[in-house]
Amino acid sequence: MNAAGARQGSAQGDSLARVAGVTTVQSFHIAGADVPATSASCHVIEEDSLTIAIEDIGTYTLMWTPTSATSVAAGYTPADGVLGDASTPERLALAAGFAFTEGIIEGVADIRSMSACPDAPDVVRMVLENPDRVVTRRRNVLVTSGCGVCGSRELIENNAFGLCTVPDRMRLDAARFAPLMAAMHASQQVFTCTGGAHAAAIFDESGRIRAVAEDLGRHNALDKVIGRILLDGSGFDRCGVLLSSRLSLEMVSKAVRA
């Protein structure tokens, strides 16, 4: 967390101490070189691991921030949709979004089932319809919260990620982005509390925000909203994405994929 984020968390965090994804720690505040350190409570963003175990493909362990309950059972099948108490479980949304932007699946029809149990809240199990058809760049990896796509210029110029040309179906006046960003920011409870979270949102051409997510990792936040749209079955046609982060190759490639 930077100094501005720490001040924001200190000023605004007291009223949001119970926000999921936020924890309170004791710290020392040093206001200046000649000022004694004082004890203070500091609200910081949580980081945990989530393993996506894809049968016959591999395991992917992500360092992420859970911003909703992980103590309930959840499941998904294309025929039944989301199963469980939560409308769109965050763990399943992240797993689906990650599998999609990694190129492991082309859509939810490629998923036979997904499940997450209270006994193992840090694991999402996914079974694919045709795992033998999957061609993936990496298997059995740990993806940290700061992990990005790395590679040479040739890797990008040769389109090693298999990205397609995005059709020009929607254009917005620049003035329309400020209200959209403000709407996304209004949903950023973890950032308001800590000053240390990234956010992503998907909006449609009418200016309606369809999904918002926060996470310590910017790529997780984007995968979460992509996954929510996938599991809702509503599609990405004539939609755009808002990001609190820089537009790295990884983030742009995820948006292109969607």
Side-chain angles (χ1 to χ4, degrees), residues 155-226:
L155 185 70
I156 301 170
E157 292 177 345
N158 293 334
N159 194 19
F161 303 108
L163 302 178
C164 62
T165 300
V166 178
D168 183 2
R169 293 178 178 169
M170 180 178 66
R171 296 192 179 193
L172 299 178
D173 293 332
R176 294 187 63 186
F177 283 99
L180 286 168
M181 292 297 287
M184 180 178 74
H185 183 70
S187 298
Q188 292 180 244
Q189 288 190 322
V190 177
F191 178 82
T192 300
C193 192
T194 67
H198 282 300
I202 290 178
F203 66 93
D204 60 26
E205 61 183 344
S206 71
R208 179 174 64 97
I209 300 289
R210 293 175 54 189
V212 181
E214 291 185 276
D215 201 281
L216 182 65
R218 62 184 186 273
H219 48 89
N220 288 339
L222 183 51
D223 280 342
K224 284 178 182 180
V225 291
I226 288 174

XYZ file of all heavy atoms in Angstrom, residues 155-226:
539
model
N 7.229 -12.808 -29.924
C 6.096 -13.562 -29.384
C 4.797 -12.798 -29.624
O 3.777 -13.381 -29.977
C 6.303 -13.797 -27.889
C 5.284 -14.670 -27.167
C 5.413 -16.115 -27.609
C 5.463 -14.575 -25.659
N 4.841 -11.489 -29.449
C 3.657 -10.657 -29.636
C 3.345 -10.497 -31.127
O 2.207 -10.666 -31.562
C 3.865 -9.276 -28.979
C 4.139 -9.452 -27.480
C 2.656 -8.378 -29.203
C 4.591 -8.178 -26.790
N 4.368 -10.162 -31.915
C 4.152 -9.902 -33.333
C 3.687 -11.147 -34.082
O 2.947 -11.051 -35.061
C 5.433 -9.350 -33.959
C 5.792 -7.949 -33.458
C 7.101 -7.449 -34.029
O 7.876 -8.274 -34.571
O 7.368 -6.237 -33.922
N 4.081 -12.319 -33.615
C 3.660 -13.566 -34.259
C 2.330 -14.070 -33.719
O 1.893 -15.171 -34.071
C 4.729 -14.644 -34.070
C 6.002 -14.317 -34.817
O 5.982 -13.610 -35.815
N 7.134 -14.838 -34.323
N 1.705 -13.276 -32.832
C 0.384 -13.606 -32.281
C 0.365 -14.997 -31.659
O -0.504 -15.817 -31.939
C -0.698 -13.489 -33.352
C -2.111 -13.475 -32.753
O -2.290 -13.206 -31.558
N -3.108 -13.760 -33.570
N 1.361 -15.215 -30.769
C 1.460 -16.523 -30.117
C 0.268 -16.798 -29.205
O 0.014 -17.939 -28.839
C 2.757 -16.606 -29.317
N -0.474 -15.740 -28.841
C -1.626 -15.925 -27.966
C -2.902 -16.232 -28.740
O -3.951 -16.434 -28.154
C -1.832 -14.675 -27.101
C -0.634 -14.317 -26.274
C 0.132 -13.218 -26.577
C -0.252 -15.109 -25.195
C 1.245 -12.900 -25.828
C 0.851 -14.801 -24.449
C 1.618 -13.699 -24.757
N -2.817 -16.252 -30.069
C -3.967 -16.619 -30.885
C -5.107 -15.622 -30.812
O -6.283 -16.006 -30.875
N -4.804 -14.333 -30.703
C -5.848 -13.321 -30.564
C -6.441 -12.968 -31.918
O -5.757 -12.937 -32.938
C -5.269 -12.065 -29.912
C -4.640 -12.269 -28.531
C -4.063 -10.961 -28.011
C -5.656 -12.824 -27.558
N -7.745 -12.677 -31.909
C -8.439 -12.330 -33.138
C -8.598 -10.815 -33.239
O -8.378 -10.086 -32.274
C -9.809 -13.000 -33.174
S -10.899 -12.456 -31.833
N -8.972 -10.351 -34.418
C -9.270 -8.933 -34.607
C -10.627 -8.619 -33.985
O -11.606 -9.325 -34.236
C -9.303 -8.578 -36.111
O -8.020 -8.872 -36.672
C -9.630 -7.101 -36.309
N -10.678 -7.565 -33.177
C -11.931 -7.194 -32.521
C -12.747 -6.323 -33.467
O -12.259 -5.290 -33.933
C -11.651 -6.429 -31.207
C -12.958 -5.995 -30.554
C -10.841 -7.294 -30.250
N -13.974 -6.705 -33.777
C -14.802 -5.890 -34.687
C -15.187 -4.560 -34.048
O -15.300 -4.439 -32.837
C -16.022 -6.770 -34.942
C -16.094 -7.674 -33.755
C -14.674 -7.924 -33.337
N -15.377 -3.563 -34.878
C -15.730 -2.213 -34.414
C -17.250 -2.123 -34.322
O -17.928 -1.789 -35.279
C -15.174 -1.192 -35.413
C -15.432 0.244 -34.966
O -16.005 0.425 -33.878
O -15.050 1.167 -35.692
N -17.806 -2.454 -33.151
C -19.257 -2.496 -32.986
C -19.788 -1.447 -32.028
O -21.006 -1.296 -31.919
C -19.670 -3.875 -32.477
C -19.438 -4.985 -33.486
C -19.819 -6.332 -32.915
N -19.637 -7.402 -33.884
C -19.690 -8.692 -33.591
N -19.942 -9.071 -32.357
N -19.495 -9.598 -34.527
N -18.911 -0.754 -31.313
C -19.395 0.219 -30.338
C -18.390 1.344 -30.193
O -17.196 1.098 -30.039
C -19.621 -0.445 -28.971
C -20.128 0.526 -27.910
S -20.463 -0.274 -26.308
C -18.819 -0.761 -25.806
N -18.880 2.570 -30.234
C -18.035 3.739 -29.988
C -18.737 4.644 -28.988
O -19.957 4.812 -29.040
C -17.757 4.510 -31.287
C -16.948 3.703 -32.300
C -16.438 4.580 -33.422
N -15.649 3.812 -34.364
C -14.873 4.349 -35.300
N -14.814 5.678 -35.408
N -14.193 3.594 -36.117
N -17.956 5.227 -28.092
C -18.497 6.113 -27.066
C -17.775 7.449 -27.095
O -16.563 7.498 -27.350
C -18.330 5.497 -25.674
C -19.012 4.164 -25.383
C -18.680 3.721 -23.968
C -20.511 4.282 -25.554
N -18.512 8.513 -26.834
C -17.872 9.816 -26.655
C -17.030 9.775 -25.389
O -17.365 9.119 -24.401
C -18.926 10.923 -26.518
C -19.708 11.128 -27.803
O -19.160 10.853 -28.880
O -20.871 11.567 -27.710
N -15.922 10.500 -25.396
C -15.010 10.495 -24.246
C -15.708 10.919 -22.963
O -15.390 10.431 -21.875
C -13.820 11.413 -24.529
N -16.699 11.813 -23.096
C -17.379 12.325 -21.904
C -18.157 11.239 -21.167
O -18.461 11.397 -19.979
C -18.325 13.457 -22.303
N -18.472 10.145 -21.834
C -19.260 9.091 -21.191
C -18.432 8.225 -20.244
O -18.984 7.469 -19.444
C -19.925 8.212 -22.247
C -20.977 8.934 -23.094
C -21.703 7.985 -24.002
N -22.456 6.972 -23.271
C -23.079 5.948 -23.856
N -23.007 5.796 -25.173
N -23.751 5.071 -23.135
N -17.115 8.311 -20.340
C -16.290 7.434 -19.522
C -16.205 7.888 -18.070
O -16.080 7.053 -17.167
C -14.892 7.307 -20.115
C -14.845 6.383 -21.295
C -14.857 6.881 -22.590
C -14.813 5.014 -21.110
C -14.826 6.035 -23.678
C -14.796 4.152 -22.198
C -14.803 4.660 -23.487
N -16.268 9.190 -17.831
C -16.171 9.669 -16.444
C -17.297 9.120 -15.563
O -17.032 8.620 -14.464
C -16.149 11.197 -16.413
N -18.567 9.163 -16.003
C -19.627 8.561 -15.180
C -19.456 7.056 -14.998
O -19.774 6.510 -13.933
C -20.916 8.882 -15.953
C -20.576 10.046 -16.809
C -19.138 9.876 -17.168
N -18.955 6.373 -16.028
C -18.736 4.930 -15.908
C -17.659 4.626 -14.874
O -17.812 3.734 -14.030
C -18.334 4.348 -17.263
C -19.452 4.219 -18.304
C -18.877 3.921 -19.675
C -20.434 3.118 -17.896
N -16.561 5.388 -14.920
C -15.496 5.180 -13.936
C -15.987 5.516 -12.534
O -15.631 4.838 -11.557
C -14.281 6.030 -14.293
C -13.566 5.610 -15.566
S -12.849 3.930 -15.494
C -11.461 4.212 -14.388
N -16.804 6.537 -12.413
C -17.353 6.906 -11.104
C -18.258 5.803 -10.567
O -18.243 5.496 -9.368
C -18.125 8.216 -11.206
N -19.038 5.179 -11.455
C -19.919 4.089 -11.036
C -19.100 2.889 -10.572
O -19.453 2.232 -9.587
C -20.848 3.696 -12.179
N -18.011 2.600 -11.270
C -17.147 1.507 -10.839
C -16.515 1.825 -9.486
O -16.489 0.988 -8.582
C -16.046 1.232 -11.871
C -15.110 0.092 -11.463
S -13.827 -0.298 -12.692
C -12.714 1.114 -12.465
N -16.025 3.036 -9.351
C -15.373 3.436 -8.100
C -16.334 3.356 -6.920
O -15.927 2.997 -5.810
C -14.802 4.847 -8.227
C -14.051 5.304 -7.018
N -12.824 4.780 -6.661
C -14.362 6.214 -6.070
C -12.409 5.350 -5.546
N -13.326 6.228 -5.165
N -17.604 3.668 -7.153
C -18.590 3.622 -6.065
C -18.780 2.209 -5.526
O -19.237 2.039 -4.393
C -19.922 4.185 -6.558
N -18.422 1.204 -6.331
C -18.565 -0.192 -5.902
C -17.279 -0.752 -5.293
O -17.255 -1.911 -4.888
C -18.970 -1.063 -7.092
O -20.217 -0.661 -7.611
N -16.236 0.055 -5.215
C -14.935 -0.426 -4.761
C -14.805 -0.294 -3.239
O -14.084 0.557 -2.726
C -13.812 0.341 -5.451
C -13.696 0.062 -6.939
C -12.572 0.848 -7.588
O -12.804 1.689 -8.438
N -11.340 0.589 -7.162
N -15.461 -1.180 -2.522
C -15.407 -1.122 -1.061
C -14.025 -1.469 -0.524
O -13.556 -0.862 0.447
C -16.445 -2.068 -0.459
C -17.881 -1.599 -0.607
C -18.834 -2.441 0.212
O -18.664 -3.656 0.313
N -19.828 -1.816 0.797
N -13.367 -2.441 -1.123
C -12.045 -2.837 -0.637
C -11.046 -1.715 -0.851
O -10.223 -1.406 0.022
C -11.578 -4.132 -1.332
C -10.167 -4.506 -0.868
C -12.533 -5.271 -1.041
N -11.108 -1.059 -2.007
C -10.207 0.068 -2.255
C -10.501 1.222 -1.306
O -9.588 1.867 -0.788
C -10.340 0.542 -3.702
C -9.471 1.738 -4.007
C -8.131 1.575 -4.305
C -9.995 3.024 -3.970
C -7.329 2.681 -4.562
C -9.204 4.119 -4.221
C -7.861 3.958 -4.527
N -11.783 1.507 -1.081
C -12.153 2.595 -0.174
C -11.586 2.348 1.216
O -11.150 3.281 1.897
C -13.680 2.726 -0.100
O -14.188 3.015 -1.407
C -14.088 3.862 0.834
N -11.549 1.085 1.611
C -11.082 0.730 2.944
C -9.563 0.680 3.042
O -8.997 1.019 4.081
C -11.673 -0.617 3.339
S -11.477 -1.048 5.071
N -8.894 0.253 1.976
C -7.455 0.006 2.054
C -6.607 0.865 1.132
O -5.409 1.046 1.381
C -7.154 -1.460 1.718
O -7.458 -1.694 0.327
C -7.971 -2.407 2.593
N -7.183 1.336 0.038
C -6.374 2.035 -0.962
C -5.456 1.091 -1.718
O -4.536 1.547 -2.398
N -5.692 -0.222 -1.622
C -4.752 -1.174 -2.195
C -5.353 -2.219 -3.089
O -4.796 -3.306 -3.193
N -6.478 -1.946 -3.746
C -7.124 -2.957 -4.586
C -7.313 -2.441 -6.006
O -7.556 -1.248 -6.223
C -8.485 -3.344 -4.008
N -7.204 -3.342 -6.963
C -7.548 -3.038 -8.346
C -9.016 -3.385 -8.583
O -9.610 -4.175 -7.846
C -6.687 -3.835 -9.314
C -5.311 -3.272 -9.490
N -5.078 -2.003 -9.972
C -4.086 -3.810 -9.229
C -3.784 -1.777 -10.026
N -3.164 -2.850 -9.575
N -9.581 -2.802 -9.618
C -10.971 -3.085 -9.969
C -11.097 -3.242 -11.476
O -10.291 -2.721 -12.249
C -11.894 -1.973 -9.488
N -12.124 -3.995 -11.869
C -12.493 -4.127 -13.272
C -14.008 -4.153 -13.350
O -14.674 -4.630 -12.432
C -11.910 -5.398 -13.881
N -14.533 -3.609 -14.429
C -15.982 -3.615 -14.640
C -16.259 -3.818 -16.117
O -15.481 -3.399 -16.982
C -16.611 -2.309 -14.158
N -17.369 -4.462 -16.415
C -17.840 -4.617 -17.789
C -19.137 -3.835 -17.921
O -20.018 -3.926 -17.068
C -18.055 -6.101 -18.145
C -16.698 -6.808 -18.229
C -18.810 -6.252 -19.469
C -16.779 -8.293 -18.530
N -19.231 -3.022 -18.979
C -20.412 -2.190 -19.215
C -20.919 -2.414 -20.630
O -20.191 -2.890 -21.503
C -20.076 -0.710 -19.002
C -19.090 -0.152 -20.001
C -19.517 0.475 -21.157
C -17.719 -0.255 -19.767
C -18.609 0.984 -22.081
C -16.803 0.252 -20.678
C -17.249 0.875 -21.837
N -22.211 -2.077 -20.852
C -22.767 -2.213 -22.190
C -22.919 -0.838 -22.829
O -22.615 0.187 -22.223
C -24.089 -2.985 -22.169
C -25.159 -2.313 -21.317
O -25.107 -1.072 -21.139
O -26.053 -3.029 -20.819
N -23.403 -0.818 -24.071
C -23.442 0.432 -24.819
C -24.462 1.422 -24.273
O -24.397 2.612 -24.572
C -23.733 0.156 -26.292
C -25.059 -0.525 -26.576
C -25.223 -0.826 -28.056
O -24.470 -0.244 -28.872
O -26.092 -1.635 -28.403
N -25.375 0.958 -23.428
C -26.324 1.878 -22.795
C -25.725 2.583 -21.583
O -26.351 3.474 -21.014
C -27.589 1.119 -22.373
O -27.327 0.260 -21.270
N -24.511 2.163 -21.179
C -23.872 2.760 -20.014
C -24.180 2.027 -18.723
O -23.867 2.525 -17.640
N -24.752 0.842 -18.824
C -25.068 0.051 -17.630
C -23.880 -0.810 -17.242
O -23.324 -1.530 -18.061
C -26.279 -0.835 -17.895
C -26.678 -1.736 -16.720
C -27.977 -2.456 -17.031
N -27.848 -3.359 -18.154
C -27.619 -4.669 -18.046
N -27.497 -5.215 -16.845
N -27.534 -5.428 -19.123
N -23.482 -0.734 -15.965
C -22.433 -1.601 -15.451
C -23.022 -2.986 -15.206
O -23.962 -3.145 -14.438
C -21.843 -1.044 -14.136
C -21.243 0.349 -14.348
C -20.794 -2.014 -13.586
C -19.971 0.375 -15.146
N -22.485 -3.979 -15.859
C -23.031 -5.335 -15.758
C -22.299 -6.205 -14.742
O -22.868 -7.170 -14.242
C -22.989 -5.999 -17.131
C -23.933 -5.322 -18.126
C -23.802 -5.903 -19.514
N -23.971 -7.351 -19.520
C -23.728 -8.121 -20.582
N -23.319 -7.558 -21.711
N -23.907 -9.421 -20.531
N -21.052 -5.885 -14.441
C -20.297 -6.661 -13.450
C -19.127 -5.829 -12.964
O -18.498 -5.122 -13.756
C -19.801 -7.975 -14.044
N -18.855 -5.896 -11.669
C -17.718 -5.206 -11.055
C -17.027 -6.187 -10.124
O -17.682 -7.004 -9.459
C -18.152 -3.972 -10.243
C -16.928 -3.264 -9.636
C -18.931 -2.996 -11.096
N -15.708 -6.127 -10.083
C -14.952 -6.979 -9.158
C -13.696 -6.251 -8.708
O -13.160 -5.395 -9.421
C -14.589 -8.307 -9.807
N -13.241 -6.615 -7.502
C -11.992 -6.086 -6.960
C -11.053 -7.236 -6.623
O -11.485 -8.345 -6.339
C -12.245 -5.285 -5.686
C -12.979 -3.982 -5.877
C -13.067 -3.198 -4.574
O -13.990 -3.478 -3.791
O -12.216 -2.322 -4.355
N -9.757 -6.937 -6.623
C -8.770 -7.935 -6.243
C -7.425 -7.237 -6.097
O -7.196 -6.168 -6.676
C -8.661 -9.036 -7.305
C -8.053 -10.318 -6.766
O -6.813 -10.392 -6.635
O -8.829 -11.244 -6.439
N -6.551 -7.856 -5.305
C -5.183 -7.356 -5.213
C -4.499 -7.428 -6.566
O -3.704 -6.556 -6.932
C -4.406 -8.178 -4.177
C -2.967 -7.761 -3.909
C -2.920 -6.374 -3.283
C -2.296 -8.764 -2.989
N -4.810 -8.477 -7.340
C -4.240 -8.629 -8.668
C -5.169 -8.086 -9.736
O -6.348 -8.446 -9.785
N -4.658 -7.240 -10.596
C -5.505 -6.628 -11.631
C -6.039 -7.683 -12.603
O -7.168 -7.573 -13.081
C -4.724 -5.541 -12.387
C -3.497 -6.032 -13.135
C -2.732 -4.871 -13.764
N -1.630 -5.335 -14.598
C -0.415 -5.591 -14.160
N -0.157 -5.426 -12.869
N 0.536 -5.989 -14.965
N -5.225 -8.698 -12.888
C -5.675 -9.742 -13.824
C -6.793 -10.575 -13.208
O -7.696 -11.012 -13.912
C -4.498 -10.638 -14.225
C -3.675 -11.119 -13.073
N -3.956 -12.265 -12.395
C -2.578 -10.579 -12.487
C -3.059 -12.437 -11.433
N -2.211 -11.428 -11.458
N -6.752 -10.784 -11.884
C -7.843 -11.508 -11.221
C -9.144 -10.726 -11.305
O -10.222 -11.305 -11.513
C -7.519 -11.756 -9.751
C -6.445 -12.801 -9.545
O -6.189 -13.613 -10.414
N -5.795 -12.769 -8.389
N -9.070 -9.417 -11.077
C -10.280 -8.590 -11.128
C -10.944 -8.700 -12.493
O -12.169 -8.839 -12.595
C -9.939 -7.132 -10.809
N -10.138 -8.673 -13.551
C -10.702 -8.773 -14.896
C -11.246 -10.168 -15.156
O -12.330 -10.330 -15.735
C -9.643 -8.403 -15.934
C -10.092 -8.392 -17.398
C -11.349 -7.559 -17.591
C -8.966 -7.893 -18.306
N -10.527 -11.199 -14.726
C -11.037 -12.557 -14.903
C -12.342 -12.777 -14.142
O -13.229 -13.507 -14.598
C -10.001 -13.583 -14.447
C -8.917 -13.822 -15.482
O -9.127 -13.478 -16.658
O -7.844 -14.362 -15.115
N -12.476 -12.157 -12.971
C -13.715 -12.301 -12.194
C -14.913 -11.760 -12.958
O -15.971 -12.410 -13.019
C -13.588 -11.560 -10.857
C -12.735 -12.252 -9.811
C -12.651 -11.390 -8.546
C -11.769 -12.001 -7.482
N -11.691 -11.143 -6.266
N -14.795 -10.557 -13.544
C -15.967 -9.995 -14.245
C -16.229 -10.739 -15.548
O -17.387 -10.940 -15.934
C -15.823 -8.476 -14.489
C -15.898 -7.705 -13.189
C -14.540 -8.129 -15.237
N -15.175 -11.164 -16.227
C -15.376 -11.964 -17.433
C -16.083 -13.268 -17.075
O -17.022 -13.703 -17.753
C -14.032 -12.232 -18.131
C -13.516 -10.936 -18.783
C -14.166 -13.339 -19.177
C -12.128 -11.052 -19.387
